[in-house]
Amino acid sequence: MNGLTALSRWSEFRYSTPRMTAGKTYHIEIWGCQMNVADAAAAARRLESLGYTEVPGPAEADLVLLETCCVREKPEHKVYSRLGELRRFKEARPSMKLGVCGCMAEKEGRVILRNAPFVDLVIGPRRLARLPEILAELEESDEPLVEIGVEGEPEIEDAQDFSRYTRAGEIKAFVNVIEGCNYRCAYCIVPYVRGKFSSRTPESVADEVRRLVDAGVREVTLLGQSVLAYGRDRGKAFDIVTLFEHLHEIDGLARIRFTTNHPLEVTDRIIDAVAAMPKVMEHFHMPIQAGEDSLLAAMKRGYTVARYEELLGRIRARIPGVSVTSDVIVGFPGETDALFETCMESYARLRFDQQFMFVYSPRPGTPAATLPDQVPQEVKVARMQRLVELQNAISTEINTAAAGQVFEVLAEGPSARDANRCAGRARNDKAMVFTTEHAPERGALVRVVAEQGHLWGCSGRMVER
Ligand code: SF4
């Protein structure tokens, strides 16, 4: 039995009629990535359409959902530990319903009920669209419900069409445009828990974005595990550039971001579109994962360092001011001292604006988990420290070199670091904190001259509206 079959075996379809539940409250906690944030927003909109209202904590919530990740082991442990804490709330108020959603729900399924028998609901990402029906079923059931499975999944536009329930007050929003992944990176659990590529239509995405803009959103980030593969599963009818074009027409939308980008998906057509379209931001989050060819091959990433470097050069040459950020794994099986040194040389040469660095953690069910030559934890940690030092130095140098440049910044309100200053993001996603005599409205595009570079971004002052 393969992993997918084992996971989908538990998928149970029952259909009940969703009903309005005026007066009920919900609380959602996110223990994962941007995809989980988008899924949580989608769940919230679904619940609000049923009459639920959000409350800030579990104590007063009728329904508590945890949006979870399973890419690494640590977040899973944290979720179980959080479930242990939430048990107290349930014991105090047995009518409270507790659910686990997201990738960990898909991967663990009924194991969650074995480990935490007080949980009422387990819902995989591809089943979230049925949340109203599932809640109706739960009302009539004495048993916990498990709703998972990636086979025979609904099309993503059905699963993600929550645009009618857009919330007010947000200026930035994540929009899932493609679910799943067809790659099979040796360390990654995602394809097993989110299924294969499934793209929404450009019309469906544009419809959601229009509603977000009507509610005050100025910037959207188009999300997918490999977002540039958008449309692949739909033949050649449309691609990510088609989607950029659709969204570019929307009045009031100021900025379009897109993440995450597999290097094999980055084409000249996409680079040219980013260079040419004013609303598409000059930032590629393009994980390299390793800086040495034999490690990349073992990871099944499908490219070499030289190929990545050539692509990076093309992006930087074609798009002035672009920033490129990356994910990297430290301590993948077989990473010897010598191979790690080669990786460090690569990262020093490639000079990413920022790297998100992860110590390798084996995920059961992935090919890499059973590879020989696993790296001892203390070695991984020591290597990670060296990499962090290298990347911190590079990021600080890049940001310091930006002093004197003027950036277009989307104003987001007072800085969390200093309430007397404003915060925002430059087009290339650099964090900016700036002084001004007249604070701009949230969502305004302003011009900021960088005066000083820091590890986290730049500080400066607003020069004109
Ligand atoms: S491309 Fe990303 S999501 Fe897909 S298998 Fe590789 S690491 Fe996982």
Side-chain angles (χ1 to χ4, degrees):
M1 183 180 287
N2 66 29
L4 280 181
T5 314
L7 287 168
S8 57
R9 195 174 46 153
W10 298 109
S11 179
E12 298 165 24
F13 288 89
R14 294 186 220 92
Y15 291 91
S16 302
T17 312
R19 66 190 68 147
M20 291 298 288
T21 46
K24 287 210 169 186
T25 54
Y26 75 92
H27 171 68
I28 301 179
E29 297 183 4
I30 300 165
W31 297 80
C33 68
Q34 295 149 324
M35 301 290 283
N36 296 111
V37 175
D39 284 348
R45 291 166 197 161
R46 276 286 191 221
L47 291 170
E48 285 170 18
S49 77
L50 296 175
Y52 280 77
T53 48
E54 187 175 16
V55 288
E60 61 272 45
D62 297 309
L63 173 67
V64 176
L65 296 178
L66 303 189
E67 256 301 330
T68 63
C69 169
C70 65
V71 171
R72 275 168 282 281
E73 206 173 358
K74 211 166 160 193
E76 270 186 43
H77 291 159
K78 285 186 179 167
V79 167
Y80 275 121
S81 137
R82 181 61 179 150
L83 284 173
E85 291 167 6
L86 291 170
R87 178 183 200 159
R88 286 188 289 113
F89 293 97
K90 218 174 140 52
E91 283 169 353
R93 210 154 39 84
S95 63
M96 179 189 120
K97 301 294 182 197
L98 179 57
V100 179
C101 309
C103 295
M104 180 179 158
E106 185 66 47
K107 173 175 160 283
E108 296 278 284
R110 285 183 185 272
V111 173
I112 292 175
L113 299 183
R114 273 210 301 277
N115 293 337
F118 46 90
V119 166
D120 301 288
L121 279 171
V122 177
I123 310 175
R126 290 282 177 111
R127 303 294 174 198
L128 197 56
R130 292 200 64 242
L131 183 58
E133 289 88 353
I134 295 167
L135 291 174
E137 289 162 17
L138 195 62
E139 295 268 312
E140 292 160 12
S141 168
D142 297 329
E143 297 292 321
L145 297 182
V146 176
E147 182 83 17
I148 59 175
V150 295
E151 290 168 346
E153 67 272 18
E155 293 294 333
I156 184 172
E157 66 264 36
D158 299 331
Q160 299 291 339
D161 185 13
F162 302 106
S163 46
R164 281 171 294 159
Y165 317 120
T166 301
R167 292 156 135 193
E170 296 166 1
I171 61 164
K172 303 205 287 190
F174 294 119
V175 178
N176 277 343
V177 301
I178 176 170
E179 265 282 359
C181 186
N182 288 10
Y183 288 98
R184 287 291 181 272
C185 300
Y187 50 82
C188 183
I189 194 81
V190 165
Y192 304 101
V193 294
R194 286 198 176 249
K196 291 189 169 175
F197 288 143
S198 176
S199 304
R200 301 170 65 179
T201 62
E203 292 76 17
S204 157
V205 177
D207 184 47
E208 176 168 354
V209 171
R210 245 179 245 110
R211 291 169 199 269
L212 288 166
V213 169
D214 287 346
V217 165
R218 299 277 285 148
E219 174 183 299
V220 291
T221 301
L222 309 179
L223 291 182
Q225 304 294 343
S226 179
V227 75
L228 300 184
Y230 174 74
R232 170 86 50 79
D233 53 301
R234 302 273 195 143
K236 295 191 173 166
F238 52 83
D239 65 4
I240 193 76
V241 176
T242 325
L243 183 59
F244 289 160
E245 287 164 355
H246 268 77
L247 302 184
H248 218 267
E249 299 298 311
I250 296 176
D251 286 339
L253 178 65
R255 291 179 159 191
I256 302 163
R257 298 190 183 278
F258 51 97
T259 195
T260 289
N261 306 299
H262 194 295
L264 292 182
E265 303 287 349
V266 181
T267 61
D268 283 338
R269 172 174 158 79
I270 292 168
I271 297 172
D272 288 345
V274 176
M277 292 185 180
K279 290 186 181 179
V280 180
M281 296 299 100
E282 297 90 357
H283 171 222
F284 281 78
H285 182 64
M286 192 170 76
I288 188 169
Q289 303 295 12
E292 194 280 330
D293 287 348
S294 69
L295 290 171
L296 286 171
M299 289 178 175
K300 302 206 180 314
R301 289 291 289 174
Y303 51 84
T304 60
V305 175
R307 182 167 175 188
Y308 186 100
E309 196 163 1
E310 184 276 327
L311 173 62
L312 186 63
R314 248 186 300 145
I315 292 171
R316 285 176 170 160
R318 182 78 184 87
I319 309 173
V322 71
S323 69
V324 180
T325 54
S326 173
D327 294 340
V328 64
I329 295 171
V330 176
F332 190 74
E335 184 191 86
T336 61
D337 285 345
L339 295 184
F340 177 68
E341 294 307 326
T342 305
C343 290
M344 290 289 278
E345 286 164 19
S346 298
Y347 305 142
R349 203 171 58 246
L350 297 171
R351 290 180 68 78
F352 293 108
D353 290 78
Q354 205 179 347
Q355 289 228 77
F356 298 89
M357 299 162 272
F358 303 97
V359 166
Y360 173 70
S361 109
R363 306 308 292 130
T366 61
T370 52
L371 283 177
D373 304 322
Q374 299 280 332
V375 178
Q377 184 67 13
E378 64 276 13
V379 175
K380 291 182 201 171
V381 170
R383 289 178 185 167
M384 175 63 109
Q385 277 171 352
R386 283 189 54 206
L387 178 55
V388 168
E389 280 169 23
L390 172 71
Q391 185 56 49
N392 284 355
I394 293 171
S395 296
T396 307
E397 280 168 22
I398 291 174
N399 293 338
T400 301
Q405 290 177 31
V406 176
F407 292 89
E408 177 200 275
V409 173
L410 182 75
E412 295 177 20
S415 162
R417 291 185 175 87
D418 175 358
N420 293 319
R421 295 191 289 174
C422 299
R425 292 257 164 193
R427 293 178 63 89
N428 64 5
D429 207 37
K430 203 174 288 296
M432 305 290 292
V433 170
F434 56 96
T435 55
T436 173
E437 286 180 15
H438 305 289
E441 279 179 22
R442 284 184 81 226
L445 290 177
V446 299
R447 289 164 66 78
V448 172
V449 60
E451 294 177 320
Q452 194 177 355
H454 311 269
L455 173 59
W456 50 263
C458 292
S459 53
R461 88 192 126 79
M462 198 170 103
V463 286
E464 62 187 71
R465 289 272 172 118

